[in-house]
Amino acid sequence: MKILFILVFSFISIFPQVNVQETQITDGVIHKKIINQNDTLVINILKVDIKKPDLTIRSVKANELLNTKETTSQMVSRYKLSGFNVIAAINGDFFEADGEIISNMISNGEIVKAVKFSDSPFNSFTNSQFASDNEDNLFIDQFVFSGNLILPNGNVEEIRRVNSEADSNSITVYNHFQGKITPVSPKEWFVVDFVLFPLQTNGDTLIFITTAKTTLRNYEIPAQGIILSANNKFAYYLDREIKIGDTLKIIYNFSPKVKNIKSLVGGWPVLVKDGMNMIRRNPAIEGITEKFSEQRHPRSGIGFSSDKRTLYFITVDGRQQMSRGMTLLEFSNLMITEGIHFGLNLDGGGSTTLIINDKVVNSPSDLTGERLVGNCLMIVRE
């Protein structure tokens, strides 16, 4: 019996209890599932040849509105009902209680939210974000928004934000992602809203015609146009300078400069850069806390290979008997092991969700099941 026990123990040591399954979902898309009973981990990885001409990535806002939430499954179902062939989806950015995402977002080339600095209380600069352009070139960087309004007299004024709470003495733009009406502003502010409809696009310059202006609060946002909202000193100034029928120019920029951004979604923090583990290099990168980084949690992430051809969606289950989750250092190492050269941490915890062919393939940690989230990223066959 003693010899048998030693033989069995040796057998387990030589053949660890790790089950790896790879399934081809469709041409250019592979699902890899790792069940590691030794380390108590369940990992799901989706590998996508994003350069396949019929595959693309799309960022999707919950209900197509800034301040709402949906489950990732609900977003997939909604897009499929609209005629999209959705292959897979993963939850996206961190978000506020009402569903507003923390960082910048662009969906199908249209700004959902744009701010110079993220709304994260932990990071004094801006959180890292994932971006793709019209040709599905992939980027991960700390994108910073800047906007300019060019008046009929040629003067240039700064646009501080798009679809985000305005600060005093500033200019903000609202589009349909904000909702039906402009948001509430302090009663003591003097506010002037200008209704603008698009005329044409000239490179990165958007040209609008002014069709109305008002000092009424909570003004209706046109479905095909925008509201240019100015408050306090800028409201007095623009009320004098802009007349109905005037042509205005607006330029939106993100630094570093990427032309024709189609999708932009935030995360926090960057995990892998040029194949290096950024958590190992700087444990407090982007202001992450020890509790967030060093405790094991469910994790979601996105990344891509050194040639920017292979895109990865990756989830690690946690807070469960079958899977303990990972620290950010472990998650970064996993990304590098799987071939990720640039990787970004997405919202994790109870938000962690990966869907393939309409099925949630991971195990969300909330007792109530899949969590309502602010946005997601989808792989779509066009």
Side-chain angles (χ1 to χ4, degrees):
M1 290 294 293
K2 186 175 182 181
I3 295 174
L4 179 62
F5 174 81
I6 293 172
L7 288 173
V8 171
F9 180 80
S10 299
F11 181 83
I12 292 173
S13 300
I14 296 170
F15 300 100
Q17 296 177 328
V18 179
N19 182 13
V20 180
Q21 298 177 340
E22 286 200 3
T23 306
Q24 183 164 335
I25 304 303
T26 186
D27 186 30
V29 181
I30 294 174
H31 174 213
K32 181 178 181 180
K33 191 177 188 77
I34 303 170
I35 301 175
N36 187 333
Q37 295 181 1
N38 288 339
D39 286 342
T40 322
L41 286 169
V42 178
I43 300 163
N44 283 277
I45 302 165
L46 191 78
K47 297 187 285 187
V48 182
D49 183 351
I50 203 63
K51 293 304 181 181
K52 289 282 185 182
D54 58 343
L55 296 177
T56 191
I57 186 167
R58 293 182 68 103
S59 54
V60 177
K61 183 67 185 74
N63 296 304
E64 308 302 317
L65 290 170
L66 181 70
N67 300 113
T68 62
K69 295 181 287 187
E70 282 184 296
T71 65
T72 305
S73 292
Q74 287 171 334
M75 286 183 258
V76 169
S77 296
R78 182 162 53 81
Y79 261 60
K80 293 193 72 172
L81 286 173
S82 298
F84 290 90
N85 183 0
V86 181
I87 296 170
I90 192 170
N91 67 288
D93 195 5
F94 299 81
F95 55 92
E96 305 285 1
D98 63 358
E100 179 177 341
I101 63 270
I102 297 296
S103 299
N104 298 320
M105 180 178 178
I106 295 176
S107 178
N108 198 31
E110 191 172 8
I111 292 177
V112 178
K113 177 181 176 180
V115 293
K116 182 165 289 187
F117 305 108
S118 70
D119 294 331
S120 168
F122 303 104
N123 191 3
S124 58
F125 181 44
T126 182
N127 288 352
S128 290
Q129 298 142 65
F130 166 85
S132 65
D133 63 14
N134 286 339
E135 297 179 351
D136 286 311
N137 295 309
L138 310 176
F139 310 88
I140 291 175
D141 217 315
Q142 290 177 296
F143 290 97
V144 178
F145 168 75
S146 63
N148 289 317
L149 167 67
I150 304 175
L151 298 172
N153 62 9
N155 287 351
V156 180
E157 304 298 341
E158 180 187 14
I159 296 172
R160 293 272 185 89
R161 294 169 175 257
V162 178
N163 295 336
S164 186
E165 184 178 350
D167 45 5
S168 180
N169 297 309
S170 67
I171 302 170
T172 303
V173 167
Y174 300 107
N175 62 27
H176 67 93
F177 284 105
Q178 177 65 45
K180 293 184 178 180
I181 58 175
T182 56
V184 175
S185 55
K187 291 182 179 179
E188 66 272 16
W189 286 10
F190 176 60
V191 177
V192 178
D193 289 344
F194 302 86
V195 182
L196 308 183
F197 281 89
L199 289 177
Q200 67 181 91
T201 300
N202 184 7
D204 59 0
T205 302
L206 309 175
I207 303 173
F208 296 85
I209 186 169
T210 309
T211 62
K213 64 178 178 178
T214 179
T215 57
L216 297 175
R217 300 299 180 96
N218 306 123
Y219 199 70
E220 183 178 356
I221 300 171
Q224 303 302 320
I226 64 172
I227 296 290
L228 181 77
S229 183
N231 63 65
N232 300 325
K233 68 178 183 180
F234 274 105
Y236 289 108
Y237 168 56
L238 295 186
D239 190 32
R240 184 192 69 187
E241 294 295 325
I242 300 175
K243 298 177 177 58
I244 294 174
D246 279 351
T247 299
L248 305 177
K249 298 177 181 179
I250 290 177
I251 302 175
Y252 298 133
N253 286 307
F254 287 89
S255 178
K257 180 73 172 179
V258 173
K259 292 184 178 180
N260 302 316
I261 296 178
K262 183 176 66 175
S263 296
L264 180 70
V265 166
W268 182 64
V270 63
L271 298 179
V272 181
K273 185 175 182 179
D274 294 320
M276 294 184 291
N277 188 322
M278 300 305 289
I279 303 300
R280 188 181 302 281
R281 295 188 69 183
N282 178 10
I285 189 170
E286 295 181 43
I288 58 173
T289 63
E290 183 177 313
K291 179 179 180 181
F292 176 71
S293 176
E294 297 186 10
Q295 291 185 7
R296 293 188 170 95
H297 298 287
R299 303 289 183 182
S300 295
I302 187 169
F304 49 88
S305 57
S306 58
D307 61 3
K308 300 189 176 184
R309 185 179 184 101
T310 305
L311 175 72
Y312 296 80
F313 288 173
I314 182 166
T315 64
V316 179
D317 289 339
R319 303 173 186 167
Q320 300 170 57
Q321 185 175 356
M322 284 291 294
S323 190
R324 58 183 171 80
M326 282 187 169
T327 67
L328 284 186
L329 181 65
E330 292 170 334
F331 196 37
S332 306
N333 285 332
L334 172 65
M335 285 186 167
I336 293 169
T337 299
E338 292 297 324
I340 292 175
H341 205 68
F342 296 88
L344 177 67
N345 186 61
L346 300 174
D347 186 19
S351 299
T352 290
T353 307
L354 179 62
I355 295 171
I356 301 175
N357 285 341
D358 303 328
K359 180 183 177 182
V360 179
V361 297
N362 74 304
S363 179
S365 64
D366 284 359
L367 294 177
T368 53
E370 194 179 344
R371 181 180 289 183
L372 297 166
V373 295
N375 61 3
C376 76
L377 287 158
M378 294 182 187
I379 301 299
V380 176
R381 185 180 295 284
E382 295 185 328

